[in-house]
Amino acid sequence: MSNPSPSPRLPSWEQLLGRLYFHERAIPPTKQEFAILRYLAESRETIRPVLGRIALMLSRLEPIKAVVVTQRSATDLQILATTISRKRATAVVGQDFIARLLRARALTERAIGRKDQWLYERYHTVYSCPIGNRSDCCQLLFFTTEPLSQSRIVFLRFAVQILGLRLTKQGLEDQLKREAESVASLTHHLSEGMAVINAERIVTLWNRPLQRVTGYAPTEAIGQPIESTFRHTDNPEWLTGEIDRLTREPLENLFRDEFEIRTKQGHKKWVNVSGSALRDKHQRISQVVIIVRDITEHKLLEQRKNEFISIATHELRTPITAIKGYLSLLEKDKTSLTEKHRSYLQRVTAANDRLVRLAEELLLSVQVEEDRLRLNLRPVNLAVILGKVTRDLRQKAQHKGLELIYTSPDFLTWVVGDEDKVQQVFENLIDNAIKYTTAGAITVWLEKREISGQPVIITYIRDTGIGISSKNYGAIFEKFRRTHNTVQIRESGAGLGLFIVKSFVEKLGGKITVSSRIGRGTTFSVRLNASEEMEDGKKVKEK
Ligand code: ADP
């Protein structure tokens, strides 16, 4: 969209008066002139009615008898306003007349050698004066019985300049409106819903595909607060929340979310929303564009798949638990088994453990998907959890000839969390580090920082393993996604662990990132918000 130049601001009538009085003319304006200036500056109508009214007001200034405003195009001459009958005006201001007038003006121009905007032409008793840009081709014609006085001419010139300014302003506004309409009509052909809102959360654009999603037509949504037509079922303030977050983080401009909305007809629909904030030169958010996709069908399918996984896993759990029970009975009675049978028992136990883990992960992933995770939020001491997890997994690492190094921090490590979930996050990450490393060490350490005024604790888990190519950084956090090299090193896994880990971390208000080099190793970092309650050392003592 080409950006039209900003529309000129009209000076107030006091300013107009000042300019006229001090710079243009020594004689103060008459009462009528005064009224004209005031009307020119204060009226809020569009240019057409203003032209009519001004023509009438000007025609009352002696010795003006009639005023006609014309606009000439290549083929035709239009009368925009007149104080005499339209028929008479057309007769006196016909094409012929104007042609003669213009010729005469060209001669005068040449004769006096100047080409300024104001050129009045005494043609018998008609004065002509162009208004606005030459491209507007507008003329004001004054019919008088005798010549105009110099001071009246100065006033008319001034008034016409202001009219010209209004005409230009209107032209720019019309252009802006046309461009906005053409952008809006382009957006109607998109396949996705699109809305634009301004800094006050008022909708300025709403395309037809969004009407198909929400039931609200562009005419019903534009000019209204976004919340009244795009209604998040659980959190009506979702957009305000996103905008507040982006306001706090000036380097971020994007957000993405999935939620249920209630349509105009009262139905529920699932939508995927991507938003982008546009900022002004002071970095303040001036507009937000949101793209909306209807994902109801996809969600229904997911829901059915999740139901199936839930039922199947529940059914699997009973026999798996029974097998586990009998295996532990056999384990107790190991002495009666031959060496060969013992090795079978070991393998069956390991395979069954994998099945137990898979069932747990499947159930958890369904809970995450259906947003059924319940968190027991309270201050948790990270150092204590990491101490325990590294102790439990050290043997597994040593078994593979790997070193597991955990450096205890010398600062308080209380975070806002859920003890079980936090433990599962680190068990998973450190277990992965061991799984995907064939030689070297796994190092775990903590760091305390402040990010956007919020104290956070970052835990790093670094390994010297097979690595992950950067193009897979996003994919590894998706369900059932495993990288190519993982399959090659024959480590078992369903590709659910990191999906669950990321969901837990985000649910706790934290962030997980990864950086890696193929063949050199991987570092995961988990950022959790420090618990201010514990920072102050008020309530819970370190265990
Ligand atoms: P899995 O059960 O396969 O381990 P995860 O969701 O825990 O599932 O991990 C997803 C994939 O991410 C893994 O299959 C592996 O390809 C990759 N991955 C995870 N952690 C590491 C790591 N420390 N080093 C290399 N690759 C890793």
Side-chain angles (χ1 to χ4, degrees), residues 432 435-436 463 468 476 481-483 486 493-495 497-498 522:
N432 271 353
K435 250 167 54 177
Y436 301 118
D463 64 49
I468 303 165
I476 53 166
R481 293 290 288 265
R482 311 193 72 210
T483 63
T486 317
L498 286 183
T522 305

Side-chain angles (χ1 to χ4, degrees), residues 474-497:
I476 53 166
F477 294 104
E478 289 169 20
K479 265 184 319 179
F480 306 115
R481 293 290 288 265
R482 311 193 72 210
T483 63
H484 185 62
N485 49 352
T486 317
V487 185
Q488 277 171 351
I489 70 161
R490 294 172 184 275
E491 273 293 352
S492 68
L496 284 169

